[in-house]
Amino acid sequence: MKITKFKKKINLTNDGTLQFFFVGTGSAFNKVDFQNNVLIIKGQDHLLIDCGNICPYALTTYNTPLVTIKNVLITHSHADHIGGLEELALAGRYIAKTRPRIVITDEYKEILWNESLKGGCSYGEQSAQGKFMTFEDYFDQIKPVELSDTPRPMYHAKIGSIDVKMFRTNHIPSNTNDWKECFYSLGVLIDDRILFTGDTKFDPDLINWMESNYKIEYIFHDCQFYPGGVHAWYEEIATLPQSTKSKILLCHYGENHKKFNPKDKGFLGFAQRGVYYNF
């Protein structure tokens, strides 16, 4: 892995190298590090994983307008992951005159539209005549294919040269450790190499399965600095084998993360926003 600096604006194309650019690396309430939304860039293709309420503003700090984003994947329906999606939809329709593509299952498309986006997006030019806008008026769906022989639902899609496998995670609510009882949430495996856990409680069985079935080079892992709740506690993640921890860059952390030194626990470090991770 090589880290290179941001210059002037985010480059949404490259020479074919797999790159991660974190628009933000912070938790829902982190205004310093922005929210944990990441751009995947490879060749002529890009994919924004999550578009939180701060994301449109954060992109402007990198001189990159929201309307330049053409492909998006949403992991779950918390505001720090979907809060900017309505703006992306409306800006696409009324400014860019294009529909962004969204990697999404039919199951989650129904949830996302009916429980989050419909209220702000269904009223449009013909609503006075009783006609309402639909998901398809704003987005083109890339429908992933469900894989077989996996321990939990896992879906596969390609965005040009970018290969993504999405898997169910154990995030919310706090009173269960069974993903089957959780609200729909996803982590993402990119090119069978880089694991992005998304929001999740500590889930060592999933990490072990991923490492046993794929050649995982690096892991960007959800992190919080206190026990309980709906994210992976720093001290819990530190119980993973050293061979795993040496691959982990922690993300989705609070503004107080500078009080901690993850290398003391054997981690690779904290993920940084505003730089390119080249793999």
Side-chain angles (χ1 to χ4, degrees), residues 167-181:
F167 49 89
R168 288 291 302 272
T169 60
N170 175 12
H171 179 34
I172 53 173
S174 61
N175 60 351
T176 179
N177 285 314
D178 186 347
W179 67 264
K180 293 187 288 294
E181 298 176 0

Side-chain angles (χ1 to χ4, degrees), residues 109-257:
K109 181 177 77 168
E110 183 176 350
I111 295 169
L112 181 63
W113 177 255
N114 289 325
E115 298 184 14
S116 297
L117 294 179
K118 185 176 180 179
C121 292
S122 61
Y123 286 87
E125 299 88 327
Q126 298 179 336
S127 296
Q129 288 77 46
K131 296 180 180 179
F132 294 92
M133 310 289 280
T134 67
F135 185 95
E136 287 73 22
D137 289 314
Y138 295 103
F139 299 102
D140 287 331
Q141 180 183 12
I142 299 175
K143 188 186 298 187
V145 176
E146 186 167 4
L147 300 176
S148 59
D149 301 321
T150 57
R152 61 183 74 182
M154 193 168 183
Y155 308 90
H156 175 244
K158 296 200 76 169
I159 301 86
S161 61
I162 303 171
D163 185 279
V164 298
K165 291 182 174 70
M166 312 176 315
F167 49 89
R168 288 291 302 272
T169 60
N170 175 12
H171 179 34
I172 53 173
S174 61
N175 60 351
T176 179
N177 285 314
D178 186 347
W179 67 264
K180 293 187 288 294
E181 298 176 0
C182 288
F183 181 74
Y184 195 99
S185 61
L186 299 171
V188 187
L189 176 64
I190 304 295
D191 281 358
D192 292 346
R193 301 170 59 196
I194 312 301
L195 182 62
F196 177 75
T197 67
D199 286 16
T200 180
K201 302 188 196 79
F202 184 52
D203 196 347
D205 290 343
L206 176 64
I207 299 296
N208 292 338
W209 186 86
M210 283 289 178
E211 289 196 299
S212 297
N213 286 272
Y214 299 97
K215 293 182 179 179
I216 306 297
E217 298 173 19
Y218 294 96
I219 301 170
F220 291 97
H221 202 297
D222 183 20
C223 170
Q224 68 180 22
F225 300 119
Y226 53 90
V230 295
H231 297 276
W233 180 29
Y234 181 73
E235 297 292 345
E236 289 177 313
I237 311 168
T239 65
L240 290 170
Q242 182 55 45
S243 59
T244 300
K245 290 191 292 183
S246 64
K247 304 175 187 176
I248 290 179
L249 286 158
L250 300 167
C251 54
H252 203 284
Y253 44 72
E255 292 180 5
N256 62 335
H257 73 280

Side-chain angles (χ1 to χ4, degrees), residues 88-109:
L88 180 65
L90 295 172
R93 183 169 180 84
Y94 298 111
I95 298 174
K97 310 296 184 184
T98 61
R99 289 194 300 269
R101 299 192 301 170
I102 184 167
V103 184
I104 192 168
T105 62
D106 286 337
E107 177 187 3
Y108 185 47
K109 181 177 77 168

Side-chain angles (χ1 to χ4, degrees), residues 8 10 87 162 166:
K8 293 185 179 180
I10 302 172
E87 183 174 342
I162 303 171
M166 312 176 315

